[in-house]
Amino acid sequence: MKAIILSGGRGTRLRPLTYSGAKQLVPVANKPILFYCIENIALVGIKDIGIIISPETGQEIKDTVGDGSRWDVSIQYITQDVPGGLAHAIKTARAFLAGSSFVMYLGDNLIGSGIDKFVNEFNKNKPEALILLKEVDNPSQFGVADISKEGKVLRLIEKPETPPSNFALVGIYIFSPRIHDAIEIIKPSKRGELEITDAIQELINMGCNVESFVLDMWWLDTGKKDDMLTANATVLDEWLKGKINGTVDNTSRLLGRVAIGKGSIIKDSTIRGPVVIGEDTVIESSFIGPHTSIGNNVRIIKSSVEHSVIMNESELRNIERLEESLIGRRVKIVENRATYKALRLMLGDDSVVEV
């Protein structure tokens, strides 16, 4: 069995962060989302992974992920020239897949468990497709599966006004090579893409066995700012292990689970976990509250931060309170009252500021 991870797309819902980087590399608990996907695939013993990249962000993904040796897997990059849909991505990767069954994993999805049970179910029953589902409260916002009592998929509907069930498509699938036959038959949708829901529906129409597997752990789509913060808080809550590799002075207090990277310095500050702090970062005369991830080479001086993600090389100075915020790389937020009280901003396109 092989795997492909879809890491293209423009990431419009995470702008302006995605003007300068791939959405799959935005960190959750100081680790790119894409790394969680690769880890889950590597843990089930799959050695050949194809990562579908776009021309715009592909090189950054290549530079960050590398050849896969850190996970003991082989990674091949496959460029999808246009965002033509999930089924088009499979079509683009057909030569790499070479007639093998494969896992297809959307690179901006996080789930609260591994995929070993999912893969075992596919290997045991050998359907043509196995679809991971999750019960949700708002099925009209998702692709939804209509399933039988035995778990067989009867039909798929994209964002239905009247959902036949509350089982949403998670974005992780396993296919046999028959999916290629189905993709050859389908036509582009109204938005001009080859839809995976159409391809799976075609499998059903061909009389193939399409089964479902219901996820009993959390599932997070990290497409928006608030989703990212929820994912960050959830991962810190459930998976962070406290570890101090930096320096903490005698006037500082660490409460709960706190991880501090090497070279980082904590002076006269309070850190209330779960909090992760990267390498070579300085926290001075500040309060860092729960569910906060701080990257490498960050400076936080005389400030209060909580429930936020601060990415590499950013600086906060004399900020009374920052919360529920997603701060990109090399951002500088400072108090300036030298003349009179005023906001002085330089913001990129699609920025959002709440004051």
Side-chain angles (χ1 to χ4, degrees):
M1 182 177 288
K2 296 185 176 183
I4 57 173
I5 304 175
L6 276 59
S7 298
R10 297 190 175 95
T12 54
R13 295 181 297 167
L14 271 179
R15 288 176 177 171
L17 291 180
T18 48
Y19 280 128
S20 56
K23 64 179 179 180
Q24 297 84 6
L25 298 182
V26 174
V28 169
N30 278 5
K31 183 162 68 175
I33 302 162
L34 181 57
F35 285 18
Y36 295 95
C37 306
I38 298 171
E39 286 173 359
N40 266 355
I41 292 169
L43 283 172
V44 296
I46 294 174
K47 295 295 186 182
D48 293 313
I49 301 175
I51 297 185
I52 312 295
I53 55 176
S54 68
E56 294 82 6
T57 60
Q59 190 58 51
E60 183 191 16
I61 289 176
K62 288 180 182 179
D63 293 342
T64 305
V65 175
D67 62 3
S69 54
R70 80 176 75 176
W71 298 280
D72 193 26
V73 300
S74 172
I75 289 178
Q76 180 173 327
Y77 296 94
I78 303 155
T79 301
Q80 186 182 21
D81 290 330
V82 294
L86 304 187
H88 180 264
I90 295 174
K91 194 171 185 176
T92 304
R94 187 165 184 176
F96 163 78
L97 294 168
S100 173
S101 298
F102 63 97
V103 174
M104 183 171 82
Y105 208 127
L106 303 194
D108 56 358
N109 273 235
L110 276 176
I111 59 174
S113 66
I115 60 170
D116 51 331
K117 293 180 182 176
F118 187 48
V119 172
N120 291 342
E121 186 80 2
F122 181 86
N123 289 334
K124 183 178 73 174
N125 297 342
K126 301 188 185 308
E128 305 302 339
L130 183 62
I131 301 168
L132 193 60
L133 303 175
K134 175 67 181 174
E135 288 190 273
V136 297
D137 296 328
N138 52 343
S140 296
Q141 303 299 313
F142 301 92
V144 172
D146 186 7
I147 60 176
S148 70
K149 292 180 180 178
E150 295 76 28
K152 293 190 181 298
V153 178
L154 304 174
R155 59 178 176 145
L156 300 174
I157 311 161
E158 192 64 31
K159 298 180 179 177
E161 292 184 7
T162 307
S165 77
N166 60 345
F167 291 110
L169 300 172
V170 166
I172 305 173
Y173 314 79
I174 307 179
F175 295 112
S176 81
R178 289 298 304 276
I179 191 66
H180 300 298
D181 300 331
I183 291 172
E184 288 302 319
I185 294 172
I186 63 172
K187 304 296 183 187
S189 63
K190 290 181 180 177
R191 58 177 183 172
E193 297 186 356
L194 292 178
E195 308 286 356
I196 194 62
T197 49
D198 289 346
I200 296 169
Q201 186 62 52
E202 192 59 42
L203 276 180
I204 297 170
N205 296 344
M206 291 161 60
C208 295
N209 183 20
V210 177
E211 298 186 357
S212 63
F213 187 90
V214 178
L215 182 67
D216 58 3
M217 298 290 287
W218 50 263
W219 160 52
L220 298 165
D221 176 1
T222 57
K224 299 178 183 177
K225 172 222 166 192
D226 288 344
D227 299 331
M228 282 293 304
L229 294 176
T230 299
N232 185 66
T234 302
V235 170
L236 290 177
D237 259 339
E238 300 209 1
W239 295 342
L240 180 71
K241 294 179 180 177
K243 190 174 184 181
I244 311 300
N245 289 324
T247 303
V248 181
D249 74 3
N250 292 333
T251 60
S252 294
R253 291 196 307 155
L254 305 185
L255 307 169
R257 285 174 294 129
V258 176
I260 301 174
K262 64 182 181 180
S264 289
I265 299 171
I266 314 298
K267 295 180 183 176
D268 191 27
S269 297
T270 297
I271 316 290
R272 186 185 299 275
V275 167
V276 60
I277 297 169
E279 297 181 356
D280 300 316
T281 283
V282 174
I283 312 290
E284 183 173 340
S285 304
S286 295
F287 170 78
I288 309 298
H291 304 133
T292 300
S293 295
I294 299 169
N296 300 331
N297 295 298
V298 173
R299 297 288 180 271
I300 298 180
I301 312 297
K302 295 181 179 178
S303 300
S304 175
V305 183
E306 184 169 328
H307 194 57
S308 295
V309 174
I310 315 292
M311 294 169 63
N312 294 349
E313 301 178 56
S314 290
E315 178 178 346
L316 277 67
R317 195 175 288 271
N318 297 317
I319 301 304
E320 185 174 344
R321 186 167 182 83
L322 182 80
E323 63 180 26
E324 297 180 6
S325 297
L326 183 56
I327 308 298
R329 295 170 292 183
R330 301 178 297 281
V331 173
K332 192 171 185 178
I333 306 174
V334 298
E335 181 192 51
N336 185 348
R337 294 181 178 175
T339 52
Y340 54 90
K341 190 172 182 180
L343 295 175
R344 298 175 178 82
L345 307 174
M346 184 173 76
L347 302 173
D349 296 349
D350 299 309
S351 295
V352 176
V353 178
E354 297 179 33
V355 298

